[in-house]
Amino acid sequence: MHEENKGAANECGKIRSGTQNEAALLALMEKTGYNLVQENGQRKFGGPPPGWEGPPPPRGCEVFVGKIPRDMYEDELVPVFERAGKIYEFRLMMEFSGKFIGVCVSLDNCRLFIGAIPKEKKKDEILNEMKKVTEGVVDVIVYPNATDKTKNRGFAFVEYESHRAAAMARRRLIPGTFQLWGHTIQVDWADPEKEVDEETMQRVKVLYVRNLMISTTEETIKAEFNKFKPGVVERVKKLRDYAFVHFFHREDAIAAMSVMNGKCIDGASIEVTLAKPVNKESTWKQHFNGQISPGSENLLGFPNKEEGHQKSIGKPASLSVRLNGQRSPGPPEIERCTYQFFPGIKLTPISVYSLKSSHFSSAAMHLEYFCNKNNWAPPEYYLYSTTSQDGKILLVYKVFIPSIADSSQSYFMPDKLCTTVEGAKELAAQFTLLHL
């Protein structure tokens, strides 16, 4: 318990002594029959409660409560939440102060993103190593490199048997304190995949095809998917090493998914799944101030992050609200407000590239982040100028992406000029993200 939390306020606003606090908690335990233990930096009340029979509640039954005043304890909090139903487990951490509380569905994530993994390591090697250093490992997901299928992409997703196992593993593998094969790794929660309701998925007639060769053309993909039944493919859109195959009819899409999953195209073993519909009110449209043209959302640097090779294949979750300055209700937006820095708050060194993309309000930073996460060299900006009819100097940047120099397009330049260097760079970065 933090030093400042030794005293707590009673209902009359007076400061409660440590003895009074202990007495209140003991009275709560005697009244309810619950155990109260402290472990891993938090106090656990129940889990299971007295007389509980059968397995613990399934995933989705837990809520996260933030911004709890530091002078409130279980004897005041438990009765409040018991009004909603029987509590299986209540875990209290003294970290928030002086604000209204907020409640949301708890993100029961069992998957971690592990970055900076040597590219020559195979799935079995990564799986065995993670089992050595952490407990509860169920599986490891590794994707082949876009240009060299014998190598991985420099990151992996590790699936654990429970959220607790994943949380304990994340704590152990804190960036900067742990190495694998002599490399300091990056560790974070895998971002949850967007949740799409079953009714919507029942109407999908587009397939997502992954692990294609960079050289494979849209025409080749269309021809391969038309082989099992000629004329069923409406169109194909390929982006780097993945593509979206659109069918005229859903039943043909389902049949093609079964037939084509695991097949080889140009020597690459492909993975085929149903595509998840793109959210037309995407966060990216908000980030770029509505400058994205209609229908271009899926061309952004992070179509659903998994497609853009980001840390994004956590379990689906319906989390819409995260508190204490992390996320507001509705679509996530850039946090622009400031928060009080309290004395004694622990600061941890962190790389910009280990943050989520939603932490950046600048398109130039998004582009740099995107290149880094794909293990590409940083983008190169080349500035050009011209003079307007009224004598103003107008500027435009051409962006060069060195890591895709062998592809059909590695230079990107918008068709609009700006009056400031900063504006020109932002516009060029936006344009590049839209066309990668």
Side-chain angles (χ1 to χ4, degrees):
M1 185 184 300
H2 294 298
E3 188 69 24
E4 63 267 29
N5 291 327
K6 287 185 177 179
N10 63 16
E11 296 178 340
C12 298
K14 298 178 180 178
I15 299 300
R16 203 163 66 180
S17 69
T19 302
Q20 290 173 320
N21 184 47
E22 291 176 7
L25 295 177
L26 286 172
L28 176 66
M29 292 168 63
E30 291 177 2
K31 177 182 177 181
T32 62
Y34 281 67
N35 289 322
L36 182 62
V37 297
Q38 183 166 323
E39 59 182 15
N40 300 320
Q42 54 185 289
R43 285 224 299 262
K44 187 173 75 170
F45 178 77
W52 180 272
E53 296 182 0
R59 296 175 67 175
C61 293
E62 182 178 280
V63 296
F64 167 78
V65 182
K67 303 180 183 176
I68 296 176
R70 280 186 274 184
D71 58 3
M72 294 187 71
Y73 291 86
E74 290 88 348
D75 60 300
E76 295 175 277
L77 295 169
V78 167
V80 172
F81 293 105
E82 278 186 331
R83 298 173 189 171
K86 185 176 179 63
I87 295 174
Y88 174 81
E89 182 180 87
F90 184 100
R91 300 190 303 276
L92 181 64
M93 293 160 282
M94 314 296 185
E95 292 294 337
F96 308 110
S97 176
K99 300 175 183 179
F100 292 106
I101 68 171
V103 180
C104 68
V105 175
S106 176
L107 181 57
D108 195 7
N109 200 344
C110 297
R111 190 171 288 179
L112 295 182
F113 165 84
I114 310 294
I117 289 177
K119 293 185 179 180
E120 69 277 5
K121 297 300 179 183
K122 307 298 183 185
K123 174 177 178 174
D124 289 345
E125 294 178 90
I126 299 172
L127 178 62
N128 291 334
E129 192 67 19
M130 294 307 299
K131 284 184 174 180
K132 289 179 185 177
V133 298
T134 60
E135 297 180 0
V137 176
V138 173
D139 191 20
V140 166
I141 300 169
V142 184
Y143 295 120
N145 189 281
T147 56
D148 184 351
K149 299 300 182 182
T150 65
K151 297 180 179 179
N152 69 61
R153 294 182 181 173
F155 64 86
F157 299 95
V158 184
E159 180 80 15
Y160 288 86
E161 61 186 13
S162 66
H163 175 70
R164 175 181 169 79
M168 296 303 291
R170 180 175 177 269
R171 177 176 296 184
R172 172 166 182 154
L173 303 174
I174 292 175
T177 64
F178 201 90
Q179 291 189 338
L180 290 178
W181 303 289
H183 292 250
T184 299
I185 59 173
Q186 298 174 358
V187 182
D188 202 350
W189 291 108
D191 292 343
E193 290 180 312
K194 61 182 179 181
E195 187 176 19
V196 181
D197 63 272
E198 187 64 26
E199 182 180 353
T200 300
M201 290 303 295
Q202 289 293 333
R203 298 194 298 268
V204 172
K205 54 182 181 179
V206 182
L207 297 183
Y208 170 54
V209 184
R210 183 168 52 211
N211 293 344
L212 291 162
M213 298 295 290
I214 295 292
S215 58
T216 299
T217 65
E218 292 178 350
E219 291 73 21
T220 298
I221 298 169
K222 185 173 183 178
E224 290 291 331
F225 276 81
N226 269 329
K227 279 184 178 179
F228 85 101
K229 188 178 179 182
V232 295
V233 178
E234 178 186 5
R235 59 189 172 90
V236 174
K237 179 61 182 178
K238 182 172 184 281
L239 301 158
R240 289 285 291 166
D241 60 341
Y242 60 93
F244 297 94
V245 182
H246 297 249
F247 289 78
F248 290 104
H249 304 290
R250 174 179 167 81
E251 56 268 25
D252 292 327
I254 299 299
M257 178 173 63
S258 176
V259 171
M260 296 300 294
N261 188 39
K263 294 287 186 180
C264 281
I265 297 181
D266 291 342
S269 179
I270 63 173
E271 295 180 23
V272 185
T273 59
L274 278 175
K276 292 187 176 181
V278 174
N279 178 9
K280 296 301 180 182
E281 299 299 326
S282 66
T283 305
W284 301 99
K285 183 176 289 186
Q286 296 177 12
H287 289 345
F288 295 140
N289 299 318
Q291 296 182 27
I292 298 173
S293 59
S296 64
E297 290 88 347
N298 63 337
L299 301 183
L300 289 168
F302 310 92
N304 70 4
K305 290 190 181 179
E306 181 180 327
E307 297 149 12
H309 322 317
Q310 304 306 306
K311 56 181 188 62
S312 64
I313 55 173
K315 291 294 186 181
S318 57
L319 181 67
S320 60
V321 183
R322 289 179 66 190
L323 305 167
N324 199 35
Q326 296 182 40
R327 184 168 295 174
S328 57
E333 297 179 353
I334 297 296
E335 284 291 345
R336 301 183 187 277
C337 51
T338 59
Y339 293 85
Q340 182 65 40
F341 183 88
F342 295 105
I345 290 179
K346 182 181 178 181
L347 297 177
T348 303
I350 187 171
S351 165
V352 167
Y353 302 113
S354 66
L355 296 173
K356 291 184 173 67
S357 57
S358 58
H359 287 99
F360 305 121
S361 60
S362 157
M365 281 300 300
H366 277 298
L367 180 58
E368 187 173 337
Y369 174 92
F370 174 70
C371 290
N372 179 271
K373 288 296 185 180
N374 279 289
N375 296 296
W376 293 354
E380 298 176 6
Y381 292 85
Y382 297 91
L383 185 62
Y384 296 86
S385 70
T386 188
T387 304
S388 67
Q389 293 181 348
D390 58 358
K392 287 183 179 179
I393 295 179
L394 302 178
L395 306 168
V396 66
Y397 269 105
K398 179 186 285 187
V399 182
F400 174 58
I401 308 296
S403 298
I404 57 173
D406 58 343
S407 65
S408 59
Q409 183 179 10
S410 55
Y411 282 95
F412 304 87
M413 188 168 71
D415 57 1
K416 293 182 180 179
L417 300 162
C418 296
T419 57
T420 66
V421 173
E422 294 83 0
K425 189 171 185 179
E426 277 293 285
L427 187 62
Q430 289 177 18
F431 182 84
T432 303
L433 282 168
L434 287 170
H435 289 83
L436 277 175

